[in-house]
């Protein structure tokens, strides 16, 4: 009988700890914290909630100094959609990173630059989507959808960065290529493709 009581107590403590980690992440997301703060809260959640996912991120080269870059990996993925990164796409990715609180002199910014210099493997992009989904899972559906929409808008901004200005002026589209549209669709499905 005492074993059952102790087991119940352990389970209650564990559940409480998981809720605390979710609450920290939720608080970071809701108060519009810089990506560095969100990334720290997310890594704490993953440490207890999904250590395999956190280990995968570490194996992919994400360090304690660079997790914020991981949250912007979809931007780099879009920049590489057509096989190379244009000057305009690079500029858009790095500008969006700074707008989201990543200091231009930080290791996370340097990591993004490295990903824009040499294309990361698809596995990194897939892992980043899994981590982002996990982080967003603590939000109510409406907030989660709004955050996903903002991420997709940023991805679209990168895709449109090197599009033809003439085409835009003539009303012939936003300069996003078919290949970029395909990547945008893939990212959208990945970010929206989880079950709460």
């Amino acid at each position: 009988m005492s074993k059952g009581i102790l087991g119940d107590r352990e389970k209650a403590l564990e559940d409480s700890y998981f809720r605390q980690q979710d609450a920290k992440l939720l608080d970071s997301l809701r108060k519009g914290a810089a990506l560095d703060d969100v990334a720290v809260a997310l890594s704490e959640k993953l440490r207890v909630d999904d250590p395999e996912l956190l280990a995968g991120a570490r194996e992919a080269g994400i360090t304690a100094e660079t997790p914020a870059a991981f949250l912007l990996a979809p931007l780099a993925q879009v920049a590489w959609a057509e096989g190379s990164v244009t000057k305009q796409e690079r500029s858009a990715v790095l500008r969006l990173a700074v707008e989201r609180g990543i200091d231009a002199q930080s290791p996370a910014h340097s990591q993004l630059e490295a990903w824009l210099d040499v294309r990361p493997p698809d596995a990194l992009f897939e892992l980043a989507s899994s981590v982002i989904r996990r982080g967003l899972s603590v939000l109510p559906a409406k907030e989660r959808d709004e955050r996903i929409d903002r991420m997709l808008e940023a991805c679209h901004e990168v895709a449109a960065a090197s599009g033809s200005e003439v085409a835009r002026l003539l009303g012939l589209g936003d300069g996003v290529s078919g290949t970029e549209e395909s990547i945008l669709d893939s990212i959208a499905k990945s970010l929206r493709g989880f079950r709460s």
Side-chain angles (χ1 to χ4, degrees):
M1 183 155 175
S2 66
K3 191 174 188 180
I5 293 171
L6 290 177
D8 290 345
R9 179 168 160 72
E10 277 182 20
K11 178 69 174 144
L13 288 172
E14 183 178 278
D15 289 346
S16 173
Y17 186 70
F18 283 135
R19 281 192 303 278
Q20 288 173 355
Q21 296 307 313
D22 287 354
K24 281 183 190 178
L25 179 57
L26 186 58
D27 186 50
S28 293
L29 288 167
R30 283 197 168 149
K31 70 181 181 184
L35 278 184
D36 281 329
D37 296 333
V38 171
V40 168
L42 180 55
S43 69
E44 288 174 5
K45 174 181 171 45
L46 291 177
R47 184 173 293 116
V48 298
D49 186 79
D50 198 336
E52 288 180 25
L53 191 56
L54 183 60
R58 288 184 178 142
E59 287 171 20
I62 300 304
T63 67
E65 293 80 32
T66 62
F70 205 52
L71 300 179
L72 295 178
L75 300 179
Q77 183 178 5
V78 171
W80 280 104
E82 294 186 311
S84 64
V85 177
T86 67
K87 181 180 174 183
Q88 296 88 346
E89 290 165 334
R90 179 184 186 86
S91 178
V93 169
L94 297 177
R95 178 183 47 75
L96 288 163
V98 169
E99 287 175 6
R100 284 159 173 73
I102 296 180
D103 185 276
Q105 305 305 315
S106 71
H109 196 274
S110 296
Q111 180 64 72
L112 269 175
E113 289 180 307
W115 289 340
L116 295 170
D117 291 337
V118 178
R119 188 187 190 286
D122 287 337
L124 179 118
F125 297 132
E126 292 164 10
L127 184 62
S129 287
S130 295
V131 169
I132 293 167
R133 274 195 318 269
R134 178 62 84 172
L136 294 173
S137 71
V138 301
L139 292 170
K142 183 178 180 191
E143 280 183 71
R144 181 176 56 236
D145 289 344
E146 288 169 358
R147 287 205 176 256
I148 290 170
D149 287 345
R150 285 197 303 267
M151 171 60 80
L152 295 174
E153 287 169 12
C155 287
H156 190 274
E157 191 173 331
V158 171
S162 63
S164 167
E165 187 65 30
V166 173
R168 279 192 284 265
L169 290 173
L170 294 175
L172 300 174
D174 57 6
V176 176
S177 73
T179 304
E180 290 167 329
E181 281 291 346
S182 177
I183 295 292
L184 291 169
D185 288 344
S186 174
I187 291 170
K189 286 177 185 170
S190 178
L191 293 180
R192 296 186 194 283
F194 65 94
R195 305 288 175 255
S196 317

